[in-house]
Amino acid sequence: MRITELLTTNTINMSVSATNKDAVIRELVEGLYEADRITDQDKFEAAIHKRESQSTTGVGDGIAIPHAQTAEVKQPAIMFGRSKSGIDYASMDGHPAFLFFMIAAPQGQATTHLDALAKLSTILMNEEAREKLMAAETEKEIIQTIDYYDESASSAEDETTVESSDKPFIVAVTACPTGIAHTYMAADSIKKKAGELGYDIKVETNGSAGVKNALTEQDIERAAGVIVAADTNVEMTRFDGKNVVEAPVADGIKRPEELIDQSLDADRPKFSAGDKKKRADSQEGASKGKSSIYKHLMNGVSNMLPFVVAGGILIAISFMFGIHSANPESAEYNPLAEMINFIGSNAFELMIPILAGFIAMSIADRPGLAPGMVGGIMAASMGSGFLGGLIAGFLAGYLMVGIKKVLEGLPQVLDGLKPVLLYPLLGVFLTGVIMYYIVDPPATALNEWMNTTLSNMSGGNIVLLGAIVGGMMAVDMGGPVNKAAYAFGIAALSAGNPEPITAAMIGGMVPPLAIAFATMVFRNRFTTVERSSGPTNLIMGASFITEGAIPFAAADPIRVIPSMIVGSATAGALAMAFSTSINAPHGGLFVALTIGEGKLMFLAALLIGTLVSGLLLALLKKPVSSN
């Protein structure tokens, strides 16, 4: 993406009237709102000030790059402003700022625009480019100048390797909280100064678009020094034994020579990954109690899903040969079906132990894995199922935290025995005892009651269940409500009740399909960027990937989310009313049309739900101005 796709004539202010920092921010935000790039001035301005509170975006050399990545951004944009007299912006070099580039990045949207923003940071390090921008007399000249240097930046992109030479070699990592501007400006500043000093350098950037120009083991081994200019967490253990200089990202921009000199100072103490880990462990311990239950639950669910998907679909495929085709005593018996069913069953049976093990591991790190998995296996074998596995994971995790605390007082000579003997022995035994006598009996009874209730549901009850589960899938499209509905569907499927997972799957397919339908039929309701990404939601919806609709929901939640909930709830209710069922936990149309029951009615429910959401969205959204 080129910068001039984000910076257009209607987002250029050739002469800002503001005389102070707050006023220029407000004036630039107003420009974005008038250009229809943001939905709420106040919220976006608050996000800009929140970013300023972390560190000033007045980067020096007369430039300020205020930026924010929020749900109020309708489409990625850059608002340019220029002050001939200069404004006190609390810049890093203490000088006034003359050129302002306010970056508006959408929350949750695809990150291709971030490459353009990275190039903008590179361009603004060029003194000649800054001079031309100050001298430009029209908006067209501003666009032409940016376009010219954008071309130059594109032809001078980093190589991923640096050839060996006799020059000292340095590696660096830059990162800032938003990963939009400072990350790349620090990288360019350090590279430029290293070149002036006659040194070879490779810089890894950890930006919002991901890690670029990643350092290899060979790069680090060869390096005489390491610079980490970052305001966010960076993987540091790889630099063990090297001369490492750690500094804020702002220092990478304003004092790169000092950082380079320190990194080549052989008298400095070498970096120890062990010391860093101790500090990290201390900070982690302080924040452990603040970690949300949702975070631990999602760690278990995300690690469980590959086993659920692979096992569930393989079992369902075996049914294609006949519902009893895996049973050697049945007239439908097929050796291939038996083999496929056997593989799928083994994968599916790992679902609950993996869920419990990784919940416990999220809470107590690696020592929690063994007791968590054992607790999960006990839940699966004793009858408490998915519910018992959830309890086992949290039980084992917090139990292991307590065990580790109790064993802290042992002599240091026994430290080596803790991870290989004491932790697993005590953790597995205590978790097992509690599961056996306290947790499993009531959890099994509750699990059996839930399964019996689901099995006995019919008529209006099952339709209502379908509406609730389907609607929940569209509430946050991959967030906690969506995951709760999906986890309920998986739990029911594991107990032999496919209805909830059917409603969850069809409810999760509707939002991306409805977005694709609306962007193609009601084109004037969407921006150019939204229209271009709309059709990809066809594939995502067909594959049961609800997350494709997130960028649209983030940009316009008040209209998009209710529209999607109504359509998903409709589809879920109809799927239950039409007696459709899918005996697989994932796959969308690819499984619904091969191993589902009531295929045509499933398609009908999906089509109706998609049309309901798409038409409702088109009704609620107003036509956008031309881009």
Side-chain angles (χ1 to χ4, degrees):
M1 179 178 283
R2 298 188 65 80
I3 294 171
T4 47
E5 293 181 50
L6 309 178
L7 176 67
T8 58
T9 53
N10 62 343
T11 58
I12 293 177
N13 183 343
M14 296 292 291
S15 181
V16 298
S17 58
T19 57
N20 58 60
K21 181 176 180 177
D22 289 346
V24 73
I25 288 176
R26 187 171 303 110
E27 189 170 342
L28 294 175
V29 171
E30 288 174 357
L32 286 170
Y33 184 75
E34 291 171 1
D36 198 31
R37 297 300 189 266
I38 58 176
T39 58
D40 190 306
Q41 286 181 248
D42 294 337
K43 288 184 179 179
F44 184 73
E45 184 176 344
I48 291 288
H49 282 294
K50 181 178 179 180
R51 173 62 187 88
E52 292 294 325
S53 68
Q54 296 172 340
S55 62
T56 181
T57 58
V59 295
D61 293 322
I63 299 168
I65 313 180
H67 53 271
Q69 190 170 27
T70 75
E72 286 70 47
V73 179
K74 297 176 69 172
Q75 65 181 96
I78 298 173
M79 183 71 202
F80 170 81
R82 185 177 66 182
S83 170
K84 287 289 188 180
S85 58
I87 294 173
D88 182 5
Y89 201 88
S91 298
M92 295 178 185
D93 59 3
H95 296 150
F98 298 88
L99 299 174
F100 304 90
F101 292 83
M102 179 170 283
I103 299 171
Q107 191 175 63
Q109 179 118 211
T111 57
T112 53
H113 63 280
L114 294 174
D115 292 330
L117 302 181
K119 286 192 289 184
L120 173 64
S121 302
T122 302
I123 291 169
L124 296 178
M125 298 298 294
N126 187 313
E127 185 177 357
E128 182 181 68
R130 298 196 300 269
E131 291 175 352
K132 289 186 176 181
L133 290 172
M134 283 298 299
E137 296 183 357
T138 65
E139 289 88 348
K140 186 176 180 180
E141 285 184 50
I142 296 290
I143 297 292
Q144 290 173 339
T145 300
I146 294 293
D147 222 19
Y148 172 79
Y149 287 99
D150 190 1
E151 193 73 45
S152 301
S154 298
S155 63
E157 290 182 345
D158 284 341
E159 297 292 332
T160 57
T161 59
V162 178
E163 297 296 329
S164 297
S165 70
D166 295 333
K167 301 177 182 178
F169 179 58
I170 304 166
V171 295
V173 181
T174 61
C176 69
T178 55
I180 293 178
H182 286 55
T183 298
Y184 304 102
M185 297 194 77
D188 289 322
S189 178
I190 294 170
K191 284 189 291 187
K192 180 180 178 182
K193 182 57 65 174
E196 292 175 0
L197 297 173
Y199 303 141
D200 286 335
I201 191 167
K202 179 175 178 180
V203 183
E204 171 186 299
T205 55
N206 292 4
S208 290
V211 175
K212 297 292 181 68
N213 212 30
L215 301 178
T216 65
E217 290 183 11
Q218 292 77 13
D219 293 330
I220 297 170
E221 183 178 354
R222 178 185 155 205
V226 178
I227 299 171
V228 178
D231 293 334
T232 59
N233 290 332
V234 170
E235 173 53 49
M236 296 294 293
T237 56
R238 52 185 167 160
F239 302 129
D240 190 38
K242 307 297 290 188
N243 181 12
V244 178
V245 178
E246 295 184 74
V249 69
D251 287 354
I253 298 173
K254 64 183 180 181
R255 54 188 194 95
E257 185 171 358
E258 183 178 338
L259 300 183
I260 291 170
D261 289 343
Q262 289 180 17
S263 73
L264 295 175
D265 183 359
D267 294 330
R268 295 180 76 248
K270 298 296 184 286
F271 173 77
S272 170
D275 292 342
K276 184 78 174 182
K277 187 177 187 306
K278 287 178 183 177
R279 292 195 299 271
D281 287 346
S282 175
Q283 294 168 355
E284 184 180 346
S287 64
K288 215 50 137 171
K290 302 176 184 177
S291 298
S292 68
I293 290 176
Y294 174 70
K295 170 196 164 188
H296 303 314
L297 175 61
M298 285 304 102
N299 189 61
V301 170
S302 62
N303 282 285
M304 173 193 75
L305 282 181
F307 297 88
V308 174
V309 172
I313 291 178
L314 286 172
I315 292 171
I317 289 174
S318 74
F319 293 160
M320 295 172 63
F321 296 89
I323 196 66
H324 300 295
S325 58
N327 183 359
E329 298 180 1
S330 171
E332 296 180 337
Y333 174 68
N334 183 298
L336 179 60
E338 181 187 21
M339 181 269 292
I340 294 173
N341 186 280
F342 180 73
I343 296 172
S345 297
N346 278 279
F348 204 67
E349 285 175 6
L350 285 169
M351 174 183 75
I352 296 174
I354 291 294
L355 170 73
F358 279 91
I359 289 175
M361 187 173 177
S362 176
I363 297 169
D365 298 321
R366 287 188 63 183
L369 182 62
M373 289 195 70
V374 171
I377 290 173
M378 291 180 67
S381 62
M382 295 179 69
S384 57
F386 194 86
L387 175 62
L390 287 176
I391 298 172
F394 287 102
L395 167 66
Y398 288 115
L399 193 61
M400 184 51 67
V401 169
I403 291 171
K404 289 164 70 176
K405 191 72 176 175
V406 169
L407 297 183
E408 282 180 356
L410 290 179
Q412 189 173 359
V413 70
L414 296 177
D415 281 354
L417 287 177
K418 290 179 183 179
V420 297
L421 175 62
L422 299 179
Y423 289 163
L425 178 61
L426 293 175
V428 168
F429 177 71
L430 293 177
T431 299
V433 168
I434 297 173
M435 287 294 295
Y436 191 89
Y437 288 108
I438 300 174
V439 173
D440 263 308
T444 298
L446 181 59
N447 192 51
E448 290 175 352
W449 173 83
M450 182 182 71
N451 293 331
T452 301
T453 302
L454 281 174
S455 299
N456 293 334
M457 271 190 169
S458 62
N461 289 333
I462 198 70
V463 171
L464 177 60
L465 176 67
I468 293 172
V469 173
M472 288 175 66
M473 293 296 291
V475 170
D476 48 8
M477 306 176 195
V481 177
N482 171 285
K483 287 294 189 293
Y486 185 57
F488 174 67
I490 291 174
L493 180 64
S494 68
N497 298 302
E499 289 81 7
I501 197 64
T502 303
M505 191 177 299
I506 201 169
M509 293 169 68
V510 164
L513 290 175
I515 290 294
F517 164 69
T519 55
M520 290 188 288
V521 176
F522 305 100
R523 295 176 60 82
N524 66 335
R525 262 60 169 186
F526 300 92
T527 65
T528 302
V529 173
E530 289 172 333
R531 291 197 299 269
S532 65
S533 61
T536 61
N537 278 271
L538 280 173
I539 303 299
M540 300 183 84
S543 305
F544 181 36
I545 302 175
T546 317
E547 286 80 357
I550 288 177
F552 296 84
D556 192 5
I558 294 177
R559 295 177 180 86
V560 173
I561 293 177
S563 303
M564 299 302 109
I565 292 174
V566 172
S568 290
T570 301
L574 289 175
M576 296 298 95
F578 296 157
S579 300
T580 67
S581 64
I582 301 173
N583 288 291
H586 213 289
L589 287 180
F590 302 101
V591 297
L593 299 182
T594 54
I595 54 181
E597 296 180 14
K599 301 176 182 61
L600 290 180
M601 301 313 292
F602 182 91
L603 281 176
L606 180 62
L607 178 61
I608 293 171
T610 299
L611 290 175
V612 167
S613 282
L615 292 172
L616 186 57
L617 181 60
L619 181 66
L620 293 176
K621 285 182 73 70
K622 297 178 181 178
V624 299
S625 59
S626 58
N627 296 304

